Amino acid sequence: MNQHPQRQQAQAPAPIPVASTPAEARKLAEVLMEVMSALLGVIERETELVRAGKVREAMRLEEEKSALSRRYMVAVEHLKTAQKYLAQVSPELLATLRRHHDTFRAMLQINLTVLATAHAVSEGIVRGVNTEIQRRNIPNTYTAAGQRAAPGPRNMTPLAVSRSL
């Protein structure tokens, strides 16, 4: 038997292409704008579905949203490496990218607000249901002074929630 475990070779990350011509810099910018546009489309659909209360349908967009988010991060890294060159060769393209990115961030903020609101509403519903269940399970007892007695921990029944839809 071989007593030395085989070493797994770690794959080196692919090198980030550096733009050395105006055409390459423009291509990097175009890729980023395409990814941002595609991601915005998915985010807008998700926002509309969550606003309409169709959370299950919105959750189906998760894979596509994740894949586009990964592509976005890669494109941003590529553009960061080419930013100096792009600023020298094509400052107007860089300005256009910044405007497009500002719009992208604003739409992302709207999406995050909608998702946070949906989360808060659903949490409020679950807490309300829990309060009602606890109220019904707690016996009505009174102290010697005629005040309602606070329930002890024995009277509290845990609430189980399935997170799958």
Side-chain angles (χ1 to χ4, degrees):
M1 278 206 270
N2 189 358
Q3 293 181 345
H4 299 286
Q6 291 180 348
R7 292 183 187 167
Q8 294 179 351
Q9 293 180 354
Q11 291 182 342
I16 296 175
V18 178
S20 57
T21 65
E24 290 173 350
R26 182 168 297 282
K27 180 65 178 166
L28 287 175
E30 287 172 0
V31 167
L32 180 61
M33 290 202 301
E34 285 174 13
V35 171
M36 279 195 293
S37 295
L39 190 52
L40 269 180
V42 171
I43 287 170
E44 287 173 352
R45 278 187 296 180
E46 180 185 53
T47 301
E48 290 170 10
L49 289 170
V50 170
R51 280 184 176 160
K54 299 177 181 177
V55 177
R56 189 179 299 213
E57 291 177 38
M59 288 176 65
R60 290 187 189 124
L61 298 173
E62 189 62 33
E63 278 186 46
E64 184 180 3
K65 186 176 166 184
S66 293
L68 286 169
S69 295
R70 282 189 295 276
R71 285 185 54 207
Y72 168 77
M73 295 305 293
V74 169
V76 166
E77 285 301 314
H78 289 187
L79 200 67
K80 279 182 183 178
T81 61
Q83 185 175 1
K84 271 187 181 178
Y85 181 75
L86 194 59
Q88 293 170 352
V89 173
S90 185
E92 69 284 345
L93 181 59
L94 196 56
T96 301
L97 272 173
R98 285 193 175 119
R99 282 193 307 273
H100 196 69
H101 196 261
D102 288 342
T103 302
F104 176 76
R105 286 186 11 208
M107 292 302 294
L108 225 113
Q109 189 60 47
I110 291 169
N111 177 262
L112 291 174
T113 302
V114 168
L115 292 177
T117 302
H119 182 268
V121 167
S122 63
E123 184 176 343
I125 291 169
V126 170
R127 288 185 187 276
V129 167
N130 184 42
T131 300
E132 186 63 25
I133 289 172
Q134 298 304 328
R135 189 180 64 75
R136 289 184 181 177
N137 289 339
I138 296 172
N140 289 323
T141 58
Y142 298 90
T143 64
Q147 301 293 323
R148 187 166 180 186
R154 278 190 213 152
N155 299 96
M156 298 299 202
T157 307
L159 174 67
V161 178
S162 172
R163 291 183 179 258
S164 65
L165 295 176

